[in-house]
Amino acid sequence: MKFTMLLAGLLGLLAAPGFAYTININGNSNTDGSGQQSVSINGEHNVANIDNNNGWNSWNTLWDYENSFAATRLFAKKSCIVHRMNKDAMPSLQDLDTLVKEQKVKGKGPGGAAPKDLMFSINPTKVEDLNTFGPKIAGMCQGIPTYVAEEIPDQPLYSKKCYTANILWILRMSFCGTSVETY
């Protein structure tokens, strides 16, 4: 009986709705050089988590499709940036899963259509209540300075310094600070 329960539990873990893929990022397509990105998709909780492992230039992004917010934690800046998801530019959870699987199977890197560009202006005021963004983002950004960013719809020549996060040759997000000291 115990063996049957253990076997059923293990099968349940294998059939879980979340899947993780690891893709190597090489060449000049990644602003910060070489590295590795991991994409974890959890359809049950409507969340995608993208980790970019590249030493001090590492970052982590959480896309919360349920609450329509995204957060990027910049390890070098020791901060978290929250913004509304642009559903016209960001792939749906199902499309992201398909794109990642295609890249993993084909082993393809940069090429094909150019990534979509999103540029955000960071509000210098720290967020006091993370709960307004939902429990997933509140958990990710808890304990570190968090800022809200608004998308800049028409991307003029921006004179402020920006931190760029490339997501699997699909999307390039630039977070532009209000001062050189911040970003």
Side-chain angles (χ1 to χ4, degrees):
M1 180 70 172
K2 289 180 184 179
F3 178 75
T4 306
M5 290 174 45
L6 179 64
L7 184 60
L10 288 174
L11 288 174
L13 285 175
L14 293 174
F19 298 99
Y21 307 96
T22 301
I23 297 176
N24 289 318
I25 308 294
N26 294 309
N28 59 8
S29 65
N30 185 5
T31 306
D32 299 322
S34 299
Q36 186 178 64
Q37 285 188 3
S38 301
V39 179
S40 301
I41 298 171
N42 187 315
E44 183 178 334
H45 295 285
N46 293 318
V47 171
N49 187 353
I50 300 104
D51 292 308
N52 187 72
N53 299 311
N54 188 17
W56 190 240
N57 292 315
S58 296
W59 48 263
N60 173 262
T61 294
L62 181 100
W63 292 351
D64 184 354
Y65 287 87
E66 187 174 314
N67 292 315
S68 298
F69 282 108
T72 301
R73 185 172 180 170
L74 306 172
F75 294 105
K77 301 298 180 184
K78 298 179 185 170
S79 62
C80 201
I81 301 165
V82 179
H83 60 88
R84 283 223 172 264
M85 292 179 66
N86 179 336
K87 293 189 180 186
D88 293 331
M90 299 170 83
S92 70
L93 196 60
Q94 294 76 18
D95 289 344
L96 179 63
D97 185 47
T98 301
L99 289 167
V100 172
K101 285 178 185 174
E102 286 175 359
Q103 286 184 340
K104 185 68 176 169
V105 170
K106 294 178 183 175
K108 76 176 189 181
K116 294 179 182 176
D117 286 311
L118 296 178
M119 184 176 283
F120 298 90
S121 176
I122 301 168
N123 183 330
T125 305
K126 290 181 185 175
V127 172
E128 295 297 323
D129 183 14
L130 290 171
N131 293 320
T132 59
F133 305 112
K136 298 164 193 143
I137 289 177
M140 178 178 155
C141 297
Q142 184 177 10
I144 60 172
T146 302
Y147 305 90
V148 174
E150 290 188 31
E151 186 175 352
I152 302 170
D154 296 317
Q155 299 173 12
L157 295 174
Y158 206 75
S159 62
K160 304 202 189 266
K161 188 172 181 184
C162 301
Y163 187 95
T164 302
N166 293 322
I167 299 175
L168 301 174
W169 308 287
I170 300 169
L171 188 63
R172 183 176 24 249
M173 298 189 307
S174 297
F175 299 102
C176 305
T178 55
S179 71
V180 175
E181 295 81 33
T182 308
Y183 294 88

